Amino acid sequence: MTPGQKQGGPSVRTIPEGEDRERLVCPDCGYIAYENPKIVVGSVTTWEDGRILLCRRAIEPRRGFWTLPAGYMELGEASAAGAAREAWEEARARIEIDCLLAVYDIPRISQVQLIFRARLLSPAIEPGPESVEVGLFAWDDIPWSQLAFPSVVWSLNEHRARLGQRDFPPGGNPPDPVHGL
Amino acid sequence: MTPGQKQGGPSVRTIPEGEDRERLVCPDCGYIAYENPKIVVGSVTTWEDGRILLCRRAIEPRRGFWTLPAGYMELGEASAAGAAREAWEEARARIEIDCLLAVYDIPRISQVQLIFRARLLSPAIEPGPESVEVGLFAWDDIPWSQLAFPSVVWSLNEHRARLGQRDFPPGGNPPDPVHGL
């Protein structure tokens, strides 16, 4: 299909022999790129006084907006370890994972988000390369109008609803996710 | 690196410019294949009498062994919907998801498994293309010595431990996973 169109990498959608759905195939070399949903791991991390760690994004999408430390899980990693790695990378925060706070499906962008509840082990935080600013926010000081993604709001609300609780099921998508992401 | 070695697709490990870890790059076209952990979605599905749905695998790995209906989540899918799809594909089972039963990390093979508790809506089941046989098993009739993967055993034990319970946190890897998978 479309020979001569050399784009570098899998760029043609076709149903490979023996399969039942379209896959992305490289017209140059025939490689089939199996695409799968990606796992985002992150945390609602609090200091001893209950303030919550947020990071202002240095990168797109939503550059300049505030988010939880979170990112794509890497190969060979356990999910909680990935959430701790992201807290380090984005906020130089050393954290201890407590429990799974929420599992969100974002099918529009083929993501599953595993959000943990965690404790900040030292208040010495600073921006990593993907953050322009990091901070600890009391609930009433959270910059609600400048949060990067709906799932940040969902996670914060879930955290608030579970304060003082243990052994609870993780939260999921709100019943009516008006915004897709 | 190794020019002339034309394998079709990303096959060379190198650190792309601006990145901090090795990625898999195609020596033919330069395409970078970002590899991420994969999500497996599955279920412990029971009929009204408590018997559990198992499928005997028609495909490798572990062909001929018994497993829960489970498989790779697809793009654009929510996790619970994926678990229901797998039950249909592997056992022609119509199921209703109840809750998240367990989340397992299998970092050795870069998998996260989301295992749901589900109800079988009709006992009319039959093998799909990836199963040679499907069945409903009372606890004492489960073919324990012929289960395909450790996480099948973990899921069954978690299901047993949570019988009659609601609103519980999902189980995780056992403390000492002697077997990696």
Side-chain angles (χ1 to χ4, degrees), chain B residues 108-140:
Chain B
R108 186 177 64 81
I109 52 171
S110 293
Q111 274 187 8
V112 172
Q113 301 189 351
L114 302 178
I115 308 296
F116 294 86
R117 183 166 78 178
R119 282 178 290 273
L120 185 60
L121 298 176
S122 155
I125 55 173
E126 56 182 84
E130 297 183 2
S131 305
V132 288
E133 186 181 356
V134 296
L136 295 170
F137 291 85
W139 185 259
D140 293 334

Side-chain angles (χ1 to χ4, degrees), chain A residues 6-10 13 20-21 23-24 26 28-31 33-39 72-80 85 89 100 103 105-112 114 116 167-170, chain B residues 6-10 13 20-21 23-24 26 28-31 33-39 72-80 85 89 100 103 105-112 114 116 167-170:
Chain A
K6 231 182 143 136
Q7 302 187 347
R13 297 212 154 269
D20 65 352
R21 65 185 73 206
R23 305 290 181 186
L24 204 54
C26 179
D28 300 334
C29 68
Y31 174 76
Y34 286 94
E35 298 169 290
N36 294 96
K38 290 193 167 132
I39 305 167
Y72 289 121
M73 193 173 164
E74 290 282 354
L75 292 182
E77 189 171 64
S79 50
R85 175 184 51 73
E89 289 182 2
L100 187 60
V103 178
D105 284 303
I106 321 279
R108 186 177 64 81
I109 52 171
S110 294
Q111 274 187 9
V112 172
L114 302 178
F116 294 87
D167 297 326
F168 51 83
Chain B
K6 230 181 147 145
Q7 300 185 348
R13 298 211 152 269
D20 64 352
R21 65 186 74 206
R23 306 290 181 186
L24 203 55
C26 179
D28 299 334
C29 67
Y31 174 76
Y34 286 93
E35 298 169 290
N36 295 95
K38 290 194 167 132
I39 305 167
Y72 289 121
M73 194 172 163
E74 290 283 353
L75 292 183
E77 189 171 64
S79 50
R85 175 184 51 73
E89 288 182 3
L100 187 61
V103 178
D105 284 303
I106 322 278
R108 186 177 64 81
I109 52 171
S110 293
Q111 274 187 8
V112 172
L114 302 178
F116 294 86
D167 297 327
F168 51 82

Side-chain angles (χ1 to χ4, degrees), chain B residues 117-178:
Chain B
R117 183 166 78 178
R119 282 178 290 273
L120 185 60
L121 298 176
S122 155
I125 55 173
E126 56 182 84
E130 297 183 2
S131 305
V132 288
E133 186 181 356
V134 296
L136 295 170
F137 291 85
W139 185 259
D140 293 334
D141 297 331
I142 290 172
W144 294 102
S145 66
Q146 298 166 65
L147 295 181
F149 309 109
S151 61
V152 175
V153 180
W154 305 344
S155 299
L156 290 169
N157 284 329
E158 190 69 35
H159 175 261
R160 178 81 161 178
R162 293 301 186 180
L163 276 177
Q165 295 182 39
R166 301 199 58 79
D167 297 327
F168 51 82
N173 294 45
D176 180 24
V178 177

Side-chain angles (χ1 to χ4, degrees), chain A residues 41-159:
Chain A
V41 285
S43 62
V44 178
T45 289
T46 50
W47 177 235
E48 295 167 352
D49 58 8
R51 283 180 301 154
I52 296 168
L53 174 62
L54 294 176
C55 311
R56 200 151 73 84
R57 294 172 63 83
I59 56 172
E60 297 294 349
R62 301 291 275 162
R63 189 150 74 103
F65 287 78
W66 291 88
T67 189
L68 297 168
Y72 289 121
M73 193 173 164
E74 290 282 354
L75 292 182
E77 189 171 64
S79 50
R85 175 184 51 73
E86 289 290 341
W88 175 258
E89 289 182 2
E90 301 191 354
R92 296 301 179 237
R94 291 190 306 110
I95 73 172
E96 182 177 63
I97 300 292
D98 172 21
C99 65
L100 187 60
L101 178 68
V103 178
Y104 297 122
D105 284 303
I106 321 279
R108 186 177 64 81
I109 52 171
S110 294
Q111 274 187 9
V112 172
Q113 302 189 351
L114 302 178
I115 308 296
F116 294 87
R117 183 166 78 178
R119 281 179 290 274
L120 185 61
L121 298 177
S122 155
I125 54 173
E126 55 182 84
E130 297 183 2
S131 305
V132 286
E133 186 182 356
V134 296
L136 295 170
F137 292 86
W139 185 258
D140 291 336
D141 297 332
I142 290 172
W144 293 103
S145 65
Q146 299 166 64
L147 295 181
F149 310 109
S151 61
V152 175
V153 181
W154 306 343
S155 299
L156 291 170
N157 285 328
E158 190 70 34
H159 175 261

Side-chain angles (χ1 to χ4, degrees), chain B residues 52-102:
Chain B
I52 296 168
L53 173 62
L54 295 175
C55 312
R56 200 151 73 84
R57 293 172 64 83
I59 56 172
E60 296 294 348
R62 302 291 275 162
R63 188 152 73 103
F65 286 78
W66 290 88
T67 190
L68 297 167
Y72 289 121
M73 194 172 163
E74 290 283 353
L75 292 183
E77 189 171 64
S79 50
R85 175 184 51 73
E86 289 290 341
W88 174 257
E89 288 182 3
E90 301 191 354
R92 297 299 179 239
R94 291 189 307 110
I95 73 174
E96 182 178 62
I97 301 292
D98 172 20
C99 64
L100 187 61
L101 179 68

